[in-house]
Amino acid sequence: MPIPTRAALVDHLVRTRIAGSVATPRENNLSHYRKLANGDRHYWLGLELGDRWSDEQDVLAVMAERCGVIDDPGHRQGQDTIDPELTVDALERMAGRLRKAADARERVLFATGHPGGLLDVHRATAAALRAAGCEIVVVPDGLTADEGFVFQFADVAVLERGATLWHTHSPEPMNAVLDGLLRAERPLPDLVVADHGWAGRAGQRGIDAVGYADCNDPALFIGEAEGTVQVTVPLDDHVTSPRYYDPLTAYLLGAAGLAGDR
């Protein structure tokens, strides 16, 4: 796919509702911000937030700044937004970290809790980094978490249950991978590219982590604000076609200088 210009990508993000006026309603966003602030660890995505984010309005302020949701606390229902300019800004920051990985030929682990939307974004990025000389980390065999199996599909670690790739926010699959690597006396990744609890837990365990997050998943944005997660790209993480993410992936790899390596 040709690499889009920044303006063309912004237009595409808005047209496909990856950003702009997204499908996730304001009520759902605020509910998740409140649950994170109330200490519901399901919404911490593998991070350890303590009592630092116990005010829902502080969470909203971070999300307005880093994701582009509407910053008015009185806006309680209806439409909410992701700023496409912030999406592209974050893609460019992620591209810088990918370029660093390629230059140093780092070990990189890819993982997704949203295989229905983001699997191919991760797969294409892994292919580009492998072509550039990086080692794509292979997870050990026989790993389990959350009553499922952790394995790799197209170079991307996923959770599988009942022959189905599972949508999960849990950090336990990432714990399983990292603990499995340690048991096997294999080196941990230099970089994790992921989403949901996969990214949060990697960052919490001290590994460089970059990832993607929707406007109803505030934890990774808080992780970036605190420096536990290096980059969080705001986007709707499951739009109507996974092909809609292809221009975003092309832009990311182009900005990283990896498009030719594919």
Side-chain angles (χ1 to χ4, degrees), residues 76 79 83 99 120 150 173 182 195 213:
R76 308 300 299 177
Q79 183 65 55
D83 185 339
R99 186 68 253 172
D120 206 45
V150 181
L182 291 172
D195 48 69

Side-chain angles (χ1 to χ4, degrees), residues 45-47 113 168-172 174 195-202 220:
L45 300 183
L47 295 167
T168 178
H169 289 74
S170 172
E172 293 309 319
M174 179 57 75
D195 48 69
H196 286 180
W198 296 93
R201 181 49 53 90
L220 294 189

Side-chain angles (χ1 to χ4, degrees), residues 37-232:
N38 289 340
D40 187 333
R41 297 177 72 86
H42 174 78
Y43 296 92
W44 288 12
L45 300 183
L47 295 167
E48 295 297 334
L49 302 179
D51 59 1
R52 299 185 299 279
W53 297 92
S54 57
D55 187 335
E56 178 185 345
Q57 300 309 314
D58 290 341
V59 179
L60 175 60
V62 168
M63 294 302 292
E65 176 188 13
R66 294 180 177 269
C67 183
V69 302
I70 296 167
D71 61 1
D72 178 9
H75 179 57
R76 308 300 299 177
Q77 60 185 4
Q79 183 65 55
D80 214 339
T81 56
I82 293 174
D83 185 339
E85 298 288 349
L86 293 179
T87 302
V88 182
D89 287 346
L91 286 170
E92 292 174 353
R93 294 197 304 275
M94 182 184 283
R97 185 61 185 86
L98 296 179
R99 186 68 253 172
K100 177 182 176 182
D103 290 343
R105 299 196 171 188
E106 291 182 338
R107 296 180 302 276
V108 186
L109 172 66
F110 288 83
T112 186
H114 230 304
L118 299 179
L119 179 64
D120 206 45
V121 177
H122 292 304
R123 179 209 58 78
T125 309
L129 284 178
R130 175 182 282 112
C134 288
E135 175 190 343
I136 305 306
V137 174
V138 177
V139 307
D141 290 334
L143 299 180
T144 60
D146 298 330
E147 301 180 346
F149 296 95
V150 181
F151 69 100
Q152 272 170 307
F153 182 77
D155 285 330
V156 184
V158 292
L159 180 67
E160 182 266 345
R161 292 185 192 167
T164 301
L165 303 187
W166 206 255
H167 172 215
T168 178
H169 289 74
S170 172
E172 293 309 319
M174 179 57 75
N175 278 334
V177 170
L178 299 180
D179 292 343
L181 290 170
L182 291 172
R183 284 194 303 271
E185 299 183 344
R186 291 168 50 193
L188 294 179
D190 300 304
L191 173 67
V192 167
V193 183
D195 48 69
H196 286 180
W198 296 93
R201 181 49 53 90
Q204 187 65 48
R205 290 184 60 160
I207 297 170
D208 284 4
V210 299
Y212 304 90
D214 208 329
C215 55
N216 63 353
D217 290 328
L220 294 189
F221 297 98
I222 288 173
E224 184 180 17
E226 292 193 330
T228 310
V229 176
Q230 292 199 339
V231 180
T232 301

